[in-house]
Amino acid sequence: MCGRWPALSEANLEFCRPAADNPRMKKLFIKTYGCQMNAYDSARMADLLAPLGYAPVEKQEGADMVILNTCHIREKAAEKVYSELGRLAVLKREKPGMLVAVAGCVAQAEGEEMVRRQGAVDMVVGPQSYHRLPEMIARHARDAGHVLETDFPALEKFDALPQASSESGVSAFLTVQEGCDKFCTFCVVPYTRGPEHSRSPESILAEARNLVSRGAREIVLLGQNVNAYRGVDSHGKDWNLARLIDALAQIHDVYRIRYTTSHPRDMDDDLIAAHGNIEKLMPFLHLPVQSGSDSVLAAMNRQHTADDYLRLIGRLRAARPDIAFSSDFIAGFPGESDADFEATMALVRSVKFSQCFSFKYSPRPGTPAAGAKKLVAESVKTSRLLALQALLLEQQDEANKASIGQTMDVLFEKAGRENGQLVGRSPWLQPVHVQAGTSRIGTIGAVKIAALTANSLHGALAQTASA
Ligand code: 5AD
Ligand code: SF4
Protein backbone atom coordinates (compact mmCIF):
# COMPACT_ATOMS: atom_id res chain seq x y z
CA MET A 1 0.00 0.00 0.00
CA CYS A 2 1.31 3.37 -0.93
CA GLY A 3 -0.60 5.86 1.17
CA ARG A 4 1.14 9.21 1.20
CA TRP A 5 2.70 10.78 4.24
CA PRO A 6 1.85 14.45 4.45
CA ALA A 7 4.94 16.57 4.00
CA LEU A 8 5.85 19.24 6.53
CA SER A 9 5.86 21.84 3.83
CA GLU A 10 4.20 21.62 0.44
CA ALA A 11 5.32 18.36 -1.14
CA ASN A 12 9.01 18.55 -1.76
CA LEU A 13 9.44 15.56 -3.94
CA GLU A 14 12.81 16.41 -5.31
CA PHE A 15 15.38 14.64 -3.27
CA CYS A 16 18.37 16.76 -2.56
CA ARG A 17 21.17 17.20 -0.09
CA PRO A 18 23.70 20.03 -0.36
CA ALA A 19 25.96 19.52 -3.34
CA ALA A 20 29.63 19.15 -2.62
CA ASP A 21 31.75 22.13 -3.60
CA ASN A 22 34.44 19.81 -4.90
CA PRO A 23 34.47 20.28 -8.70
CA ARG A 24 35.59 16.67 -9.14
CA MET A 25 32.32 15.49 -7.64
CA LYS A 26 29.81 14.30 -10.20
CA LYS A 27 26.41 15.95 -9.98
CA LEU A 28 23.48 13.68 -9.24
CA PHE A 29 19.90 14.87 -9.62
CA ILE A 30 17.16 12.57 -8.35
CA LYS A 31 13.53 13.43 -8.98
CA THR A 32 11.17 11.49 -6.76
CA TYR A 33 7.52 10.88 -7.56
CA GLY A 34 4.88 9.26 -5.37
CA CYS A 35 5.02 7.67 -1.98
CA GLN A 36 7.40 7.81 0.96
CA MET A 37 8.87 4.44 -0.03
CA ASN A 38 10.17 6.16 -3.14
CA ALA A 39 11.57 9.00 -1.03
CA TYR A 40 13.39 6.39 1.06
CA ASP A 41 14.67 4.61 -2.07
CA SER A 42 15.94 7.90 -3.53
CA ALA A 43 17.93 8.59 -0.37
CA ARG A 44 19.41 5.11 -0.51
CA MET A 45 20.35 5.52 -4.17
CA ALA A 46 22.21 8.71 -3.27
CA ASP A 47 24.04 6.85 -0.47
CA LEU A 48 24.86 4.07 -2.89
CA LEU A 49 26.30 6.41 -5.51
CA ALA A 50 28.27 8.61 -3.09
CA PRO A 51 31.35 6.31 -3.12
CA LEU A 52 31.37 6.65 -6.93
CA GLY A 53 31.82 10.40 -6.51
CA TYR A 54 28.20 11.47 -7.05
CA ALA A 55 26.83 14.31 -4.89
CA PRO A 56 23.16 15.40 -4.99
CA VAL A 57 22.30 18.70 -6.66
CA GLU A 58 19.06 20.68 -6.86
CA LYS A 59 18.82 21.21 -10.62
CA GLN A 60 18.83 18.76 -13.47
CA GLU A 61 20.55 21.27 -15.78
CA GLY A 62 24.25 20.42 -15.80
CA ALA A 63 23.82 17.16 -13.89
CA ASP A 64 26.10 14.23 -14.72
CA MET A 65 23.39 11.78 -13.82
CA VAL A 66 19.63 12.18 -13.57
CA ILE A 67 17.46 9.55 -11.94
CA LEU A 68 13.69 9.70 -12.26
CA ASN A 69 12.33 7.61 -9.39
CA THR A 70 8.84 7.00 -10.69
CA CYS A 71 5.42 6.06 -9.35
CA HIS A 72 2.81 4.03 -11.22
CA ILE A 73 -0.07 4.14 -8.77
CA ARG A 74 -2.42 6.48 -10.56
CA GLU A 75 -3.46 7.62 -14.00
CA LYS A 76 -1.11 8.73 -16.76
CA ALA A 77 1.98 7.91 -14.69
CA ALA A 78 3.93 6.52 -17.64
CA GLU A 79 2.93 9.42 -19.92
CA LYS A 80 4.19 11.95 -17.36
CA VAL A 81 7.52 10.13 -17.19
CA TYR A 82 7.84 10.07 -20.98
CA SER A 83 7.24 13.80 -21.22
CA GLU A 84 9.85 14.43 -18.49
CA LEU A 85 12.22 12.19 -20.48
CA GLY A 86 11.54 14.28 -23.58
CA ARG A 87 12.79 17.35 -21.69
CA LEU A 88 15.82 15.42 -20.45
CA ALA A 89 16.63 14.31 -24.02
CA VAL A 90 17.01 18.00 -24.93
CA LEU A 91 19.36 18.58 -21.97
CA LYS A 92 21.31 15.50 -22.94
CA ARG A 93 21.92 16.87 -26.40
CA GLU A 94 23.67 19.81 -24.72
CA LYS A 95 25.59 17.49 -22.39
CA PRO A 96 26.00 14.14 -24.19
CA GLY A 97 27.78 12.40 -21.27
CA MET A 98 24.77 12.87 -18.99
CA LEU A 99 23.44 9.53 -17.70
CA VAL A 100 19.67 9.15 -17.58
CA ALA A 101 18.21 6.42 -15.39
CA VAL A 102 14.57 5.60 -14.79
CA ALA A 103 13.89 3.86 -11.48
CA GLY A 104 10.78 2.92 -9.52
CA CYS A 105 7.47 1.39 -10.47
CA VAL A 106 7.06 2.85 -13.98
CA ALA A 107 10.53 1.48 -14.81
CA GLN A 108 9.42 -1.90 -13.50
CA ALA A 109 6.18 -1.85 -15.47
CA GLU A 110 7.57 -0.50 -18.75
CA GLY A 111 10.96 -2.26 -18.83
CA GLU A 112 12.41 -2.49 -22.40
CA GLU A 113 9.63 -0.32 -23.75
CA MET A 114 11.26 2.70 -22.06
CA VAL A 115 14.46 2.47 -24.08
CA ARG A 116 12.51 1.71 -27.24
CA ARG A 117 10.36 4.83 -26.83
CA GLN A 118 13.05 7.19 -25.58
CA GLY A 119 16.61 6.74 -26.79
CA ALA A 120 17.94 9.16 -24.16
CA VAL A 121 17.35 6.53 -21.44
CA ASP A 122 20.58 4.77 -20.43
CA MET A 123 19.32 2.68 -17.54
CA VAL A 124 16.03 1.21 -16.39
CA VAL A 125 16.02 -0.15 -12.87
CA GLY A 126 13.11 -1.58 -10.88
CA PRO A 127 12.48 -0.87 -7.19
CA GLN A 128 13.97 -4.19 -6.11
CA SER A 129 17.14 -3.91 -8.17
CA TYR A 130 18.49 -0.41 -7.57
CA HIS A 131 21.30 -1.75 -5.36
CA ARG A 132 22.80 -2.81 -8.71
CA LEU A 133 23.13 0.79 -9.95
CA PRO A 134 26.93 1.02 -9.46
CA GLU A 135 27.39 -2.15 -11.47
CA MET A 136 24.95 -0.88 -14.11
CA ILE A 137 26.91 2.37 -14.43
CA ALA A 138 30.12 0.35 -14.92
CA ARG A 139 28.43 -1.87 -17.52
CA HIS A 140 27.12 1.17 -19.35
CA ALA A 141 30.58 2.77 -19.36
CA ARG A 142 32.05 -0.47 -20.77
CA ASP A 143 29.49 -1.17 -23.48
CA ALA A 144 27.81 2.25 -23.91
CA GLY A 145 24.52 0.34 -24.37
CA HIS A 146 21.26 0.52 -22.46
CA VAL A 147 21.24 -1.41 -19.19
CA LEU A 148 18.09 -2.94 -17.75
CA GLU A 149 17.48 -4.51 -14.31
CA THR A 150 13.89 -5.32 -13.40
CA ASP A 151 14.14 -8.59 -11.44
CA PHE A 152 12.77 -9.05 -7.94
CA PRO A 153 15.91 -10.12 -6.02
CA ALA A 154 14.41 -8.57 -2.85
CA LEU A 155 16.38 -10.78 -0.53
CA GLU A 156 19.66 -9.36 -1.65
CA LYS A 157 18.78 -5.66 -1.96
CA PHE A 158 18.88 -4.57 1.67
CA ASP A 159 22.06 -6.56 2.35
CA ALA A 160 23.74 -4.82 -0.56
CA LEU A 161 22.77 -1.26 0.39
CA PRO A 162 25.27 0.76 2.42
CA GLN A 163 24.26 2.38 5.73
CA ALA A 164 23.41 6.07 5.39
CA SER A 165 26.55 8.11 5.89
CA SER A 166 25.15 11.65 5.93
CA GLU A 167 23.08 13.57 8.47
CA SER A 168 19.52 12.35 8.95
CA GLY A 169 16.41 14.48 9.25
CA VAL A 170 14.76 14.50 12.70
CA SER A 171 12.06 12.26 11.27
CA ALA A 172 13.52 9.42 9.22
CA PHE A 173 11.91 6.81 7.01
CA LEU A 174 13.04 3.22 7.41
CA THR A 175 11.73 0.55 5.02
CA VAL A 176 11.04 -2.70 6.88
CA GLN A 177 8.81 -4.50 4.41
CA GLU A 178 8.20 -4.33 0.71
CA GLY A 179 5.79 -5.71 -1.80
CA CYS A 180 2.22 -6.84 -1.53
CA ASP A 181 0.37 -10.15 -1.77
CA LYS A 182 -3.10 -8.65 -1.33
CA PHE A 183 -3.97 -8.02 -4.99
CA CYS A 184 -6.66 -5.40 -4.57
CA THR A 185 -8.25 -5.42 -8.00
CA PHE A 186 -7.52 -1.71 -8.73
CA CYS A 187 -3.87 -1.67 -7.70
CA VAL A 188 -0.59 -2.06 -9.61
CA VAL A 189 1.63 -2.46 -6.56
CA PRO A 190 1.69 -6.29 -6.43
CA TYR A 191 2.94 -6.24 -10.03
CA THR A 192 5.47 -3.42 -9.72
CA ARG A 193 6.82 -4.00 -6.19
CA GLY A 194 6.54 -7.80 -6.25
CA PRO A 195 5.66 -10.23 -3.44
CA GLU A 196 5.77 -9.37 0.27
CA HIS A 197 9.21 -9.50 1.78
CA SER A 198 10.32 -8.46 5.29
CA ARG A 199 13.81 -7.44 6.33
CA SER A 200 15.48 -9.11 9.30
CA PRO A 201 14.90 -7.36 12.65
CA GLU A 202 18.65 -7.15 13.23
CA SER A 203 19.27 -5.18 10.02
CA ILE A 204 16.35 -2.86 10.80
CA LEU A 205 17.56 -2.20 14.35
CA ALA A 206 21.09 -1.54 13.07
CA GLU A 207 19.72 0.93 10.53
CA ALA A 208 17.61 2.63 13.22
CA ARG A 209 20.67 2.99 15.49
CA ASN A 210 22.64 4.45 12.60
CA LEU A 211 19.84 6.93 11.81
CA VAL A 212 19.66 7.98 15.46
CA SER A 213 23.43 8.50 15.57
CA ARG A 214 22.94 10.87 12.61
CA GLY A 215 20.24 12.93 14.29
CA ALA A 216 16.97 11.06 13.75
CA ARG A 217 14.58 11.16 16.70
CA GLU A 218 11.46 9.81 15.02
CA ILE A 219 11.48 6.59 13.00
CA VAL A 220 8.71 6.06 10.45
CA LEU A 221 8.59 2.39 9.52
CA LEU A 222 7.64 1.94 5.89
CA GLY A 223 6.14 -0.87 3.90
CA GLN A 224 3.49 -1.27 1.21
CA ASN A 225 1.84 -3.54 3.76
CA VAL A 226 3.87 -2.61 6.78
CA ASN A 227 1.70 -4.38 9.32
CA ALA A 228 2.13 -7.65 7.40
CA TYR A 229 5.75 -7.45 8.61
CA ARG A 230 7.11 -10.91 9.47
CA GLY A 231 10.86 -10.77 9.97
CA VAL A 232 13.02 -13.72 10.91
CA ASP A 233 15.94 -13.10 13.26
CA SER A 234 19.32 -14.85 13.25
CA HIS A 235 17.96 -17.49 15.67
CA GLY A 236 15.19 -18.34 13.24
CA LYS A 237 12.54 -16.64 15.42
CA ASP A 238 9.63 -14.80 13.79
CA TRP A 239 9.02 -11.16 14.69
CA ASN A 240 5.79 -9.31 14.01
CA LEU A 241 5.50 -5.53 13.73
CA ALA A 242 4.52 -5.12 17.40
CA ARG A 243 7.70 -6.88 18.52
CA LEU A 244 9.80 -4.79 16.16
CA ILE A 245 8.24 -1.56 17.46
CA ASP A 246 8.86 -2.69 21.03
CA ALA A 247 12.55 -3.34 20.25
CA LEU A 248 12.87 0.05 18.53
CA ALA A 249 11.28 1.73 21.53
CA GLN A 250 14.18 0.42 23.66
CA ILE A 251 16.63 2.61 21.69
CA HIS A 252 17.10 5.54 24.03
CA ASP A 253 17.22 8.36 21.51
CA VAL A 254 14.26 7.15 19.49
CA TYR A 255 11.55 9.46 20.86
CA ARG A 256 8.76 8.60 18.46
CA ILE A 257 7.74 5.68 16.25
CA ARG A 258 5.16 5.61 13.46
CA TYR A 259 4.40 3.12 10.72
CA THR A 260 2.69 3.28 7.37
CA THR A 261 0.86 1.95 5.33
CA SER A 262 -1.32 -0.69 6.93
CA HIS A 263 -3.99 -3.06 5.69
CA PRO A 264 -6.99 -3.60 8.00
CA ARG A 265 -6.64 -7.38 7.64
CA ASP A 266 -3.15 -7.31 9.16
CA MET A 267 -3.95 -5.36 12.35
CA ASP A 268 -3.27 -8.23 14.74
CA ASP A 269 -3.95 -8.32 18.49
CA ASP A 270 -0.32 -7.58 19.39
CA LEU A 271 -0.24 -4.47 17.22
CA ILE A 272 -3.53 -3.18 18.63
CA ALA A 273 -2.21 -3.78 22.16
CA ALA A 274 1.06 -2.02 21.24
CA HIS A 275 -0.92 1.18 20.66
CA GLY A 276 -1.96 1.02 24.31
CA ASN A 277 1.35 -0.16 25.76
CA ILE A 278 4.16 1.53 23.89
CA GLU A 279 4.32 5.19 24.74
CA LYS A 280 6.71 6.02 21.92
CA LEU A 281 4.24 4.67 19.35
CA MET A 282 2.35 7.77 18.23
CA PRO A 283 -1.46 7.92 18.46
CA PHE A 284 -2.02 8.25 14.73
CA LEU A 285 -2.73 5.54 12.19
CA HIS A 286 -3.12 5.65 8.42
CA LEU A 287 -5.51 2.78 7.77
CA PRO A 288 -6.93 2.81 4.23
CA VAL A 289 -10.46 1.52 3.80
CA GLN A 290 -11.12 2.64 0.17
CA SER A 291 -14.92 2.27 0.40
CA GLY A 292 -17.70 1.84 2.95
CA SER A 293 -19.78 -0.49 0.79
CA ASP A 294 -19.46 -4.23 1.30
CA SER A 295 -20.16 -5.03 -2.34
CA VAL A 296 -17.53 -2.54 -3.55
CA LEU A 297 -15.07 -3.82 -0.94
CA ALA A 298 -15.68 -7.35 -2.23
CA ALA A 299 -15.22 -6.25 -5.86
CA MET A 300 -11.98 -4.56 -4.79
CA ASN A 301 -10.86 -7.81 -3.11
CA ARG A 302 -10.18 -5.95 0.12
CA GLN A 303 -11.00 -9.08 2.15
CA HIS A 304 -12.95 -7.28 4.86
CA THR A 305 -16.34 -5.64 5.31
CA ALA A 306 -17.20 -2.12 6.40
CA ASP A 307 -18.28 -3.51 9.77
CA ASP A 308 -14.91 -5.31 10.20
CA TYR A 309 -13.24 -1.96 9.67
CA LEU A 310 -15.49 -0.14 12.15
CA ARG A 311 -14.92 -2.82 14.78
CA LEU A 312 -11.18 -2.52 14.25
CA ILE A 313 -11.36 1.24 14.75
CA GLY A 314 -13.30 0.59 17.96
CA ARG A 315 -10.65 -1.83 19.27
CA LEU A 316 -7.85 0.63 18.47
CA ARG A 317 -9.74 3.42 20.24
CA ALA A 318 -10.26 1.16 23.25
CA ALA A 319 -6.49 0.51 23.35
CA ARG A 320 -5.54 4.17 22.81
CA PRO A 321 -8.47 6.53 23.32
CA ASP A 322 -6.79 9.59 21.77
CA ILE A 323 -5.73 7.80 18.56
CA ALA A 324 -6.50 9.67 15.31
CA PHE A 325 -7.06 8.02 11.95
CA SER A 326 -6.46 8.83 8.34
CA SER A 327 -7.44 6.78 5.33
CA ASP A 328 -7.47 6.44 1.55
CA PHE A 329 -10.70 6.39 -0.48
CA ILE A 330 -11.50 5.65 -4.08
CA ALA A 331 -14.61 7.28 -5.56
CA GLY A 332 -16.31 5.78 -8.60
CA PHE A 333 -14.94 2.25 -8.56
CA PRO A 334 -16.64 0.22 -11.36
CA GLY A 335 -20.15 -0.79 -10.30
CA GLU A 336 -20.32 1.74 -7.41
CA SER A 337 -23.97 2.79 -7.08
CA ASP A 338 -25.36 5.88 -5.32
CA ALA A 339 -26.19 3.64 -2.34
CA ASP A 340 -22.62 2.26 -2.29
CA PHE A 341 -21.25 5.77 -2.27
CA GLU A 342 -23.67 6.73 0.52
CA ALA A 343 -22.28 3.80 2.53
CA THR A 344 -18.81 5.33 2.16
CA MET A 345 -20.10 8.70 3.39
CA ALA A 346 -21.79 6.94 6.33
CA LEU A 347 -18.54 5.18 7.25
CA VAL A 348 -16.67 8.49 7.16
CA ARG A 349 -19.31 10.13 9.37
CA SER A 350 -19.08 7.30 11.85
CA VAL A 351 -15.26 7.17 12.10
CA LYS A 352 -14.40 10.90 11.95
CA PHE A 353 -10.99 10.98 10.33
CA SER A 354 -8.38 13.60 11.15
CA GLN A 355 -6.99 13.64 7.60
CA CYS A 356 -7.52 11.63 4.43
CA PHE A 357 -6.57 11.05 0.83
CA SER A 358 -9.22 10.44 -1.79
CA PHE A 359 -8.98 9.69 -5.47
CA LYS A 360 -11.19 9.12 -8.48
CA TYR A 361 -10.89 5.56 -9.65
CA SER A 362 -8.61 5.23 -12.67
CA PRO A 363 -8.11 1.93 -14.47
CA ARG A 364 -4.52 0.76 -14.23
CA PRO A 365 -3.30 -1.41 -17.10
CA GLY A 366 -2.87 -5.06 -16.15
CA THR A 367 -5.08 -4.92 -13.04
CA PRO A 368 -8.27 -7.05 -12.83
CA ALA A 369 -10.59 -4.04 -12.38
CA ALA A 370 -9.29 -2.44 -15.58
CA GLY A 371 -11.41 -4.92 -17.56
CA ALA A 372 -14.64 -4.08 -15.68
CA LYS A 373 -17.67 -3.23 -17.81
CA LYS A 374 -19.93 -1.30 -15.38
CA LEU A 375 -17.98 1.93 -15.36
CA VAL A 376 -19.06 4.99 -13.41
CA ALA A 377 -19.43 8.10 -15.57
CA GLU A 378 -16.62 10.62 -15.18
CA SER A 379 -19.05 13.36 -14.09
CA VAL A 380 -20.46 11.09 -11.36
CA LYS A 381 -16.96 10.20 -10.18
CA THR A 382 -16.18 13.91 -9.96
CA SER A 383 -19.28 14.84 -8.00
CA ARG A 384 -18.79 11.94 -5.58
CA LEU A 385 -15.16 12.85 -5.04
CA LEU A 386 -16.09 16.47 -4.35
CA ALA A 387 -18.77 15.47 -1.84
CA LEU A 388 -16.40 13.06 -0.11
CA GLN A 389 -13.58 15.59 0.03
CA ALA A 390 -15.87 18.25 1.46
CA LEU A 391 -16.88 15.90 4.28
CA LEU A 392 -13.29 14.79 4.93
CA LEU A 393 -12.10 18.39 5.01
CA GLU A 394 -14.83 19.30 7.47
CA GLN A 395 -13.64 16.49 9.75
CA GLN A 396 -10.00 17.52 9.40
CA ASP A 397 -10.93 21.11 10.30
CA GLU A 398 -12.88 19.90 13.30
CA ALA A 399 -9.90 17.85 14.53
CA ASN A 400 -7.57 20.82 14.08
CA LYS A 401 -9.95 23.29 15.71
CA ALA A 402 -10.25 20.97 18.71
CA SER A 403 -6.49 21.40 19.20
CA ILE A 404 -6.81 25.14 19.86
CA GLY A 405 -6.21 25.85 23.55
CA GLN A 406 -4.61 22.44 24.10
CA THR A 407 -1.02 21.90 25.15
CA MET A 408 0.70 19.15 23.21
CA ASP A 409 4.18 17.67 22.78
CA VAL A 410 5.78 18.78 19.54
CA LEU A 411 8.91 17.25 18.05
CA PHE A 412 10.73 20.14 16.36
CA GLU A 413 11.99 19.15 12.92
CA LYS A 414 13.35 22.21 11.15
CA ALA A 415 13.35 25.97 10.79
CA GLY A 416 10.09 27.42 9.51
CA ARG A 417 9.73 29.93 6.69
CA GLU A 418 9.53 32.92 9.02
CA ASN A 419 12.47 34.23 10.96
CA GLY A 420 12.93 32.55 14.36
CA GLN A 421 10.22 30.02 13.63
CA LEU A 422 10.42 26.27 14.05
CA VAL A 423 8.13 23.68 12.58
CA GLY A 424 7.44 20.33 14.11
CA ARG A 425 4.71 17.75 14.46
CA SER A 426 2.14 16.99 17.09
CA PRO A 427 1.69 13.34 18.15
CA TRP A 428 -1.25 13.32 15.68
CA LEU A 429 0.98 14.33 12.77
CA GLN A 430 -0.30 17.91 12.55
CA PRO A 431 2.36 20.42 11.51
CA VAL A 432 2.92 22.94 14.35
CA HIS A 433 4.66 26.34 14.02
CA VAL A 434 6.31 27.96 17.02
CA GLN A 435 8.72 30.86 17.67
CA ALA A 436 11.81 29.14 19.08
CA GLY A 437 15.56 28.86 18.54
CA THR A 438 17.11 26.29 16.24
CA SER A 439 18.86 24.62 19.20
CA ARG A 440 15.51 23.01 19.92
CA ILE A 441 15.49 21.11 16.62
CA GLY A 442 15.43 17.41 17.48
CA THR A 443 13.85 17.98 20.90
CA ILE A 444 10.28 17.67 22.11
CA GLY A 445 8.65 20.71 23.68
CA ALA A 446 5.21 21.33 25.15
CA VAL A 447 3.36 23.81 22.94
CA LYS A 448 0.12 25.60 23.71
CA ILE A 449 -1.87 25.84 20.49
CA ALA A 450 -3.34 29.28 19.82
CA ALA A 451 -4.41 29.33 16.18
CA LEU A 452 -4.98 27.40 13.01
CA THR A 453 -4.00 28.45 9.49
CA ALA A 454 -4.68 26.26 6.45
CA ASN A 455 -3.51 22.86 7.69
CA SER A 456 -1.05 23.88 10.33
CA LEU A 457 -1.29 24.78 13.97
CA HIS A 458 0.43 27.75 15.59
CA GLY A 459 1.36 28.01 19.23
CA ALA A 460 3.86 29.06 21.84
CA LEU A 461 6.26 27.06 23.96
CA ALA A 462 4.47 26.26 27.18
CA GLN A 463 7.42 25.23 29.35
CA THR A 464 11.05 24.28 29.05
CA ALA A 465 11.45 21.77 26.26
CA SER A 466 12.17 18.26 27.34
CA ALA A 467 13.22 15.29 25.26
N1 5AD B 1 -7.42 4.41 -8.95
C1 5AD B 1 -7.57 5.32 -7.97
N2 5AD B 1 -6.90 5.30 -6.81
C2 5AD B 1 -6.02 4.31 -6.63
N3 5AD B 1 -5.21 4.01 -5.60
C3 5AD B 1 -4.49 2.93 -5.92
N4 5AD B 1 -4.82 2.49 -7.15
C4 5AD B 1 -5.78 3.32 -7.60
C5 5AD B 1 -6.52 3.40 -8.81
N5 5AD B 1 -6.39 2.50 -9.76
C6 5AD B 1 -5.21 4.76 -4.35
C7 5AD B 1 -5.71 3.88 -3.19
C8 5AD B 1 -4.46 3.59 -2.44
C9 5AD B 1 -3.69 4.88 -2.68
C10 5AD B 1 -2.24 4.84 -2.42
O1 5AD B 1 -3.90 5.16 -4.04
O2 5AD B 1 -6.61 4.62 -2.41
O3 5AD B 1 -4.66 3.34 -1.08
FE1 SF4 C 1 -2.37 -1.72 -0.84
FE2 SF4 C 1 -4.15 -3.41 -1.99
FE3 SF4 C 1 -2.31 -2.15 -3.48
FE4 SF4 C 1 -1.56 -4.09 -1.82
S1 SF4 C 1 -2.86 -4.33 -3.61
S2 SF4 C 1 -0.55 -2.10 -2.11
S3 SF4 C 1 -3.01 -3.76 -0.11
S4 SF4 C 1 -3.99 -1.15 -2.30
Side-chain angles (χ1 to χ4, degrees):
M1 170 70 63
C2 297
R4 283 183 295 155
W5 202 245
L8 264 182
S9 56
E10 275 308 293
N12 172 18
L13 297 176
E14 274 162 34
F15 171 75
C16 176
R17 286 206 219 98
D21 293 332
N22 184 345
R24 279 199 309 249
M25 282 302 227
K26 286 177 265 184
K27 294 181 183 142
L28 172 66
F29 177 79
I30 305 184
K31 182 160 184 173
T32 309
Y33 300 81
C35 67
Q36 57 278 28
M37 300 263 306
N38 268 12
Y40 174 88
D41 290 343
S42 292
R44 305 317 307 274
M45 284 188 239
D47 291 333
L48 191 67
L49 297 178
L52 275 65
Y54 285 96
V57 292
E58 278 173 54
K59 285 196 303 211
Q60 53 193 24
E61 289 77 14
D64 297 287
M65 180 168 189
V66 174
I67 302 178
L68 301 183
N69 193 9
T70 60
C71 169
H72 205 235
I73 197 95
R74 277 180 295 275
E75 219 172 3
K76 302 200 179 98
E79 291 319 308
K80 283 180 200 150
V81 174
Y82 282 115
S83 49
E84 184 72 36
L85 285 171
R87 286 190 285 277
L88 282 174
V90 176
L91 286 181
K92 197 170 167 162
R93 259 175 252 136
E94 287 159 20
K95 184 166 181 171
M98 176 199 248
L99 285 178
V100 175
V102 186
C105 292
V106 175
Q108 186 68 42
E110 293 280 292
E112 286 278 355
E113 179 63 14
M114 288 231 89
V115 284
R116 262 198 299 276
R117 266 184 74 175
Q118 178 48 268
V121 175
D122 299 297
M123 284 165 234
V124 179
V125 59
Q128 303 301 355
S129 324
Y130 66 79
H131 57 293
R132 295 184 178 161
L133 268 172
E135 176 198 325
M136 292 170 74
I137 294 174
R139 248 160 61 205
H140 181 269
R142 240 184 357 253
D143 313 332
H146 305 295
V147 189
L148 200 89
E149 288 282 358
T150 49
D151 299 347
F152 285 127
L155 287 172
E156 86 186 44
K157 182 176 85 182
F158 288 107
D159 296 338
L161 289 172
Q163 289 278 352
S165 55
S166 50
E167 220 177 282
S168 165
V170 170
S171 178
F173 292 143
L174 200 174
T175 294
V176 303
Q177 180 280 343
E178 281 194 288
C180 180
D181 298 339
K182 296 284 186 303
F183 291 92
C184 300
T185 55
F186 53 82
C187 182
V188 287
V189 167
Y191 313 97
T192 57
R193 286 271 173 173
E196 281 176 14
H197 161 70
S198 296
R199 294 175 65 184
S200 78
E202 284 99 341
S203 74
I204 294 165
L205 291 167
E207 187 169 336
R209 282 191 208 99
N210 182 49
L211 287 167
V212 164
S213 76
R214 298 180 185 286
R217 294 293 175 263
E218 173 176 277
I219 302 286
V220 183
L221 303 176
L222 299 182
Q224 261 95 31
N225 246 300
V226 72
N227 58 343
Y229 176 81
R230 287 290 174 280
V232 181
D233 69 16
S234 52
H235 307 291
K237 293 264 182 308
D238 282 346
W239 288 47
N240 59 15
L241 190 66
R243 180 158 179 207
L244 183 66
I245 291 170
D246 194 38
L248 284 162
Q250 312 301 322
I251 301 176
H252 183 260
D253 281 339
V254 169
Y255 301 163
R256 290 180 166 187
I257 302 167
R258 304 179 187 273
Y259 61 94
T260 194
T261 290
S262 297
H263 192 289
R265 283 275 305 226
D266 292 317
M267 288 305 303
D268 62 23
D269 294 349
D270 287 353
L271 193 52
I272 295 171
H275 278 278
N277 302 332
I278 303 177
E279 220 181 306
K280 291 182 180 181
L281 183 56
M282 289 295 101
F284 177 88
L285 183 61
H286 182 65
L287 193 60
V289 62
Q290 316 293 356
S291 168
S293 148
D294 287 344
S295 62
V296 173
L297 287 168
M300 288 176 164
N301 189 32
R302 290 291 293 177
Q303 304 170 45
H304 63 79
T305 62
D307 190 51
D308 293 335
Y309 185 84
L310 292 174
R311 276 188 286 123
L312 184 54
I313 296 283
R315 290 183 64 202
L316 283 155
R317 283 194 167 131
R320 179 80 205 233
D322 64 343
I323 193 167
F325 295 99
S326 78
S327 193
D328 290 341
F329 292 91
I330 296 179
F333 187 77
E336 184 187 72
S337 65
D338 285 344
D340 291 323
F341 177 66
E342 255 322 300
T344 300
M345 297 290 273
L347 180 139
V348 173
R349 281 188 206 102
S350 131
V351 175
K352 292 193 171 35
F353 292 95
S354 72
Q355 45 178 273
C356 271
F357 303 98
S358 47
F359 316 96
K360 268 196 253 182
Y361 170 72
S362 72
R364 310 304 297 124
T367 57
K373 300 270 176 303
K374 275 179 69 185
L375 299 184
V376 174
E378 206 49 41
S379 57
V380 176
K381 277 192 213 172
T382 306
S383 60
R384 286 182 187 164
L385 185 71
L386 290 175
L388 179 59
Q389 287 182 337
L391 177 60
L392 292 169
L393 203 63
E394 209 177 280
Q395 297 194 338
Q396 180 177 320
D397 269 0
E398 243 170 68
N400 283 337
K401 277 190 194 128
S403 306
I404 295 175
Q406 277 189 35
T407 299
M408 54 181 71
D409 279 348
V410 172
L411 174 58
F412 299 113
E413 295 190 15
K414 59 182 187 182
R417 278 200 203 121
E418 284 167 28
N419 219 355
Q421 190 186 53
L422 291 187
V423 53
R425 291 238 187 231
S426 77
W428 303 279
L429 209 63
Q430 297 144 298
V432 182
H433 290 78
V434 171
Q435 288 301 120
T438 50
S439 63
R440 290 189 192 266
I441 291 175
T443 69
I444 293 178
V447 172
K448 181 152 193 210
I449 304 301
L452 166 69
T453 55
N455 289 328
S456 79
L457 303 175
H458 296 252
L461 280 173
Q463 318 149 356
T464 25
S466 63

